[in-house]
Amino acid sequence: MGRGRQKAKATKQARDIKYYSPNTDYTALQRELKSSEVRAPSRFSSEPVEPDYSAYVDKYADDLEDDDDGVGTRRIG
């Protein structure tokens, strides 16, 4: 008989939680959303800037082309 009482209590609690609707303070929500819009761009300004590697492209371009030639003739196994 203990299990039936436990299940009934759990069902009652679940129903109470499901249909519980607290009063919503829409002005507080609006203030919170407004303040997050102002702070959002500053979050990205603290990220490091990626360095410019364009100066190295021409310097090492020949090495990359030579490596590609040997790929088709390589044996496996």
Side-chain angles (χ1 to χ4, degrees), residues 29-74:
L29 178 63
Q30 186 177 11
R31 282 193 308 265
E32 184 179 341
L33 292 175
K34 266 188 178 177
S35 67
S36 66
E37 288 175 0
V38 174
R39 282 188 264 146
S42 65
R43 181 182 73 154
F44 297 109
S45 64
S46 65
E47 292 182 6
V49 178
E50 185 175 335
D52 182 25
Y53 295 112
S54 61
Y56 299 106
V57 171
D58 293 331
K59 184 176 180 180
Y60 296 106
D62 295 334
D63 293 340
L64 292 175
E65 290 174 5
D66 293 340
D67 290 343
D68 290 343
D69 294 338
V71 172
T73 59
R74 182 187 292 171

